[in-house]
Amino acid sequence: MRIFRIAMAQMNATVGDLEGNVRAIVKWIKEAKKAKADLIAFPELAVTGYPPEDLLLMPRFLELNRRALDEVVSHCRAIAAVVGYVGQGASSESKLKEPITVPAARYEVHNAAAVIADQRLVTSYYKRYLPNYGVFDESRYFCPGRGIPVIVLNGTTVGVNICEDIWLPEGPHRAQAAAGAEVIVNINASPFHLAKGRFREQMLATRARDNGVIVTYTNMVGGQDELVFDGNSLILDQAGEVLVRGKAFEEDLLVVDLDVAAVGRSRIPHARKRWLGQAKTRTERIVVSGAYTPRRGAPILPGGARVLEPLEEVYSALVLGVRDYVRKNRFRRVLIGLSGGVDSSLTAAIAVDALGGKNVLGVLMPSPHTSRESREDATELARRLRIETRTIPITRIFKAYLQSLSEVFQGRRPDATEENIQARIRGNLMMALSNKFGYLVLTTGNKSEMSVGYATLYGDMAGGFAVIKDVPKTMVYELARLRNRGGAAAVIPKRVLDKAPSAELKPDQRDEDSLPPYPLLDPILQAHVEEDRSLDEIVRMGFDRETVSKVITMVDRSEYKRRQAPIGIKITHRAFGKDRRMPITNQYRNV
């Protein structure tokens, strides 16, 4: 039996924190050396964090990135490593002995994987397929790679590639397998959205089977602005069976012994000829240690973490997204306006799970239309979550506004203006508390409301981070019930889940006075916003034409609001923001 021991560091990198990222990389390298790994793989752009966006246009940032890689190289003694960084130059990085200090415009910039062994940069692989859809803008920054190296380490032939490269059936993994690669090391910064993990695993299983190789998939973990990276790193054998699975939404170090001799046995001659015939791209074979050194001691057998259910994944993503946004942007505490409704209740529960109750302040701001039940529910929620609260009634402030505006509003009946004034008073108070104490305001609007503009600019939309911005209202209820099942006792009062949703900005107000019922609204929004279906297509799905037309019109007319909203955590296939970029001034209507 010929064994190749691989380590995979599922690390939480921070964009721009080159020193901190290098410290983390070096720490994981030391752990892998203790485990006597032949190779340790790190995520895509582990040195810089992902995505670095327009930092890549700054020559000094690129220079410091290269210096950071040099520091990593100096720590790779008696172990090989694959490390994501930003490469420069059209030719192999192995020819560059000094950091690049001249303007970046004179060089090609690449999304690169450094292959390091014996304290030297052996070679670099440059990502060939650059995603330029959804949240990805890689073609804005990077040039596609050309070379395809395979590396021999301890007698095992390894192919290295990056993220998108393995999603295409004819990607570089095929040429690497044809050139004799027994193990494919694919490094990633693949952001989470609902159901992506299952599709990703199916794709990787297909690549492993079709190419007769062991596939290792090292993914980043952590929150970066609106993105959350879920970890869930994988190793699949040459038959496409999962050998080991990394933790979901947590840092992890996986160390596994791979039976690479079994790869050769599985490659029957006629299949080998087929692979060779289909590989049209030339590869470069680089031998680091060609002779195999047998291992002593007990083998490290595959294991792994459990697979989370879809709602568990979403909740975990929201918790991690809040924790990292607060931590990485150096806030200490957060503020949440508690209304007694399900949105603010879920947001508060997520914040407590992310940051601890002592770092969450709930603010109750009752108005003339706030019901006794809502005040009681908000207070009870805070008690169960063990968070501090402050109560600032807004009735006197609201009356002062009405008095100040009475002359100019004379002769006009009350309408949404008076409702929005209450929301804006609350937004003003929340931002005042934020300014005074340095706390981050978490807004509580959901995706259903944001889609149709059922929110107040500079009111309930005022804040620094929108936790459930991409969570449809029907899923808000599902997540709240999940959270109640997850602890020793329910934290969200039952009445919050049972009562009809209301903004409580006028007497006897209900959301359904202005909107279709959420179980009807949410599938229409999914079809229009996430799937780009036309009015006729949605009607053919069984929905009323007038209702669909109204919803589409509300979505289209609310783009200007969404453009001014705080960023929030992406959990669906298509979130507002980077995923969906519609012009505000726009006469086209998809009706």
Side-chain angles (χ1 to χ4, degrees):
M1 178 180 290
R2 181 161 52 90
I3 295 297
F4 186 78
R5 181 168 294 175
I6 189 166
M8 299 162 63
Q10 187 173 281
M11 66 175 280
N12 188 340
T14 299
V15 168
D17 185 9
L18 302 175
E19 292 183 4
N21 294 339
V22 167
R23 283 196 301 271
I25 290 169
V26 170
K27 179 194 75 171
W28 292 116
I29 287 173
K30 290 178 179 178
E31 291 298 315
K33 285 172 65 175
K34 288 179 185 177
K36 296 183 172 18
D38 295 304
L39 170 72
I40 179 169
F42 289 91
E44 178 180 11
L45 294 183
V47 169
T48 62
Y50 188 95
E53 299 185 295
D54 279 14
L55 293 175
L56 294 165
L57 305 180
M58 300 179 181
R60 182 172 179 272
F61 179 77
L62 299 181
E63 176 189 344
L64 293 176
N65 144 84
R66 180 53 197 257
R67 291 180 181 176
L69 181 69
D70 291 343
E71 177 68 15
V72 173
V73 170
S74 71
H75 287 274
C76 283
R77 301 182 185 93
I79 192 171
V82 175
V83 182
Y85 79 110
V86 181
Q88 288 179 268
S91 58
S92 172
E93 283 285 335
S94 59
K95 298 179 182 178
L96 299 171
K97 297 182 180 180
E98 299 296 332
I100 294 173
T101 57
V102 296
R106 293 175 54 185
Y107 293 87
E108 290 185 353
V109 177
H110 299 275
N111 185 337
V115 181
I116 306 165
D118 299 324
Q119 294 182 283
R120 67 187 180 96
L121 179 60
V122 174
T123 190
S124 283
Y125 170 85
Y126 293 155
K127 189 174 183 178
R128 294 172 67 88
Y129 295 99
L130 304 176
N132 212 53
Y133 54 84
V135 300
F136 303 106
D137 288 309
E138 292 202 17
S139 292
R140 172 180 170 89
Y141 305 107
F142 298 119
C143 295
R146 290 181 284 275
I148 302 181
V150 291
I151 302 96
V152 181
L153 292 167
N154 193 22
T156 296
T157 305
V158 177
V160 174
N161 49 57
I162 302 175
C163 202
E164 193 82 3
D165 292 331
I166 205 164
W167 284 83
L168 285 82
E170 298 301 324
H173 53 273
R174 183 166 293 278
Q176 289 166 332
E182 298 155 304
V183 178
I184 298 294
V185 174
N186 180 258
I187 64 172
N188 300 265
S190 181
F192 168 80
H193 66 70
L194 193 59
K196 183 177 183 179
R198 289 154 183 77
F199 180 71
R200 186 167 60 198
E201 185 174 318
Q202 292 171 1
M203 177 275 297
L204 293 171
T206 300
R207 299 293 173 268
R209 283 193 304 269
D210 287 354
N211 295 280
V213 291
I214 296 171
V215 172
T216 73
Y217 179 93
T218 306
N219 195 24
M220 191 173 284
V221 71
Q224 171 60 32
D225 294 343
E226 65 267 57
L227 301 181
V228 173
F229 302 96
D230 58 301
N232 280 312
S233 299
L234 290 166
I235 300 179
L236 302 96
D237 67 16
Q238 62 277 8
E241 297 296 324
V242 175
L243 295 177
V244 66
R245 191 187 310 275
K247 294 177 181 177
F249 305 99
E250 295 181 47
E251 286 195 315
D252 200 5
L253 180 69
L254 291 79
V255 182
V256 180
D257 283 344
L258 305 178
D259 182 5
V260 289
V263 175
R265 292 193 299 270
S266 70
R267 289 180 169 179
I268 55 179
H270 72 269
R272 173 71 172 161
K273 290 179 181 178
R274 175 169 57 84
W275 294 326
L276 287 171
Q278 292 182 358
K280 300 181 175 66
T281 306
R282 294 182 61 183
T283 58
E284 178 187 9
R285 188 176 180 85
I286 301 169
V287 178
V288 175
S289 49
Y292 173 63
T293 302
R295 288 203 167 274
R296 295 180 179 179
I300 299 178
L301 301 175
R306 76 178 182 91
V307 180
L308 300 184
E309 295 298 321
L311 276 180
E312 290 181 293
E313 287 187 318
V314 171
Y315 195 88
S316 298
L318 295 171
V319 169
L320 179 56
V322 170
R323 180 185 299 130
D324 273 7
Y325 190 84
V326 172
R327 176 179 64 87
K328 292 180 179 181
N329 287 289
R330 300 177 182 176
F331 287 96
R332 294 185 298 110
R333 299 185 75 190
V334 297
L335 293 163
I336 301 171
L338 297 181
S339 68
V342 67
D343 295 328
S344 63
S345 298
L346 177 64
T347 301
I350 291 167
V352 168
D353 290 344
L355 308 169
K358 66 180 181 179
N359 294 314
V360 179
L361 175 62
V363 184
L364 285 67
M365 295 171 285
S367 78
H369 307 298
T370 302
S371 67
R372 175 181 58 83
E373 290 82 1
S374 291
R375 289 193 293 268
E376 291 174 352
D377 290 340
T379 302
E380 177 63 14
L381 173 82
R383 185 192 71 79
R384 295 183 184 186
L385 289 173
R386 299 180 181 179
I387 63 175
E388 181 185 1
T389 60
R390 290 286 186 271
T391 299
I392 309 175
I394 69 167
T395 299
R396 284 190 301 172
I397 305 172
F398 181 47
K399 288 179 178 178
Y401 265 80
L402 296 181
Q403 184 178 357
S404 298
L405 293 166
S406 61
E407 183 177 344
V408 72
F409 283 0
Q410 188 173 7
R412 293 182 178 269
R413 300 180 64 180
D415 55 17
T417 304
E418 285 75 16
E419 298 177 36
N420 290 334
I421 286 173
Q422 296 169 71
R424 291 187 175 116
I425 291 170
R426 289 172 172 147
N428 201 345
L429 292 173
M430 293 293 285
M431 293 312 300
L433 294 171
S434 176
N435 286 163
K436 183 62 68 176
F437 300 108
Y439 301 165
L440 175 69
V441 176
L442 301 182
T443 65
T444 63
N446 60 66
K447 187 171 189 175
S448 306
E449 296 169 344
M450 295 303 299
S451 296
V452 296
Y454 194 63
T456 303
L457 269 178
Y458 325 121
D460 55 321
M461 292 173 64
F465 197 59
V467 178
I468 58 173
K469 178 181 180 179
D470 196 35
V471 182
K473 184 75 169 189
T474 49
M475 187 183 290
V476 169
Y477 283 99
E478 293 173 348
L479 291 170
R481 293 187 178 97
L482 173 74
R483 178 60 182 84
N484 275 355
R485 295 193 300 270
V491 295
I492 299 174
K494 182 177 184 297
R495 188 166 58 186
V496 171
L497 302 175
D498 292 342
K499 64 187 176 184
S502 170
E504 293 192 327
L505 297 174
K506 65 180 182 181
D508 300 318
Q509 185 179 32
R510 297 290 183 267
D511 289 5
E512 289 186 14
D513 298 339
S514 304
L515 304 174
Y518 288 111
L520 176 63
L521 174 63
D522 282 353
I524 295 174
L525 291 174
Q526 179 174 340
H528 176 58
V529 174
E530 297 182 30
E531 300 170 7
D532 282 327
R533 295 182 185 271
S534 68
L535 183 148
D536 288 339
E537 289 177 302
I538 300 173
V539 170
R540 286 196 292 270
M541 294 169 63
F543 297 101
D544 171 68
R545 177 173 291 272
E546 183 178 350
T547 301
V548 174
S549 179
K550 176 185 175 182
V551 169
I552 290 176
T553 299
M554 294 173 77
V555 171
D556 293 348
R557 288 180 177 174
S558 300
E559 184 63 30
Y560 78 100
K561 282 189 180 183
R562 291 189 291 271
R563 196 72 65 90
Q564 299 177 70
I567 65 168
I569 302 166
K570 169 184 167 67
I571 62 100
T572 66
H573 174 71
R574 198 175 190 203
F576 290 117
K578 288 184 178 181
D579 266 339
R580 188 179 190 270
R581 312 178 196 187
M582 301 298 289
I584 296 173
T585 305
N586 171 21
Q587 296 299 314
Y588 176 75
R589 294 290 176 261
N590 193 20
V591 295

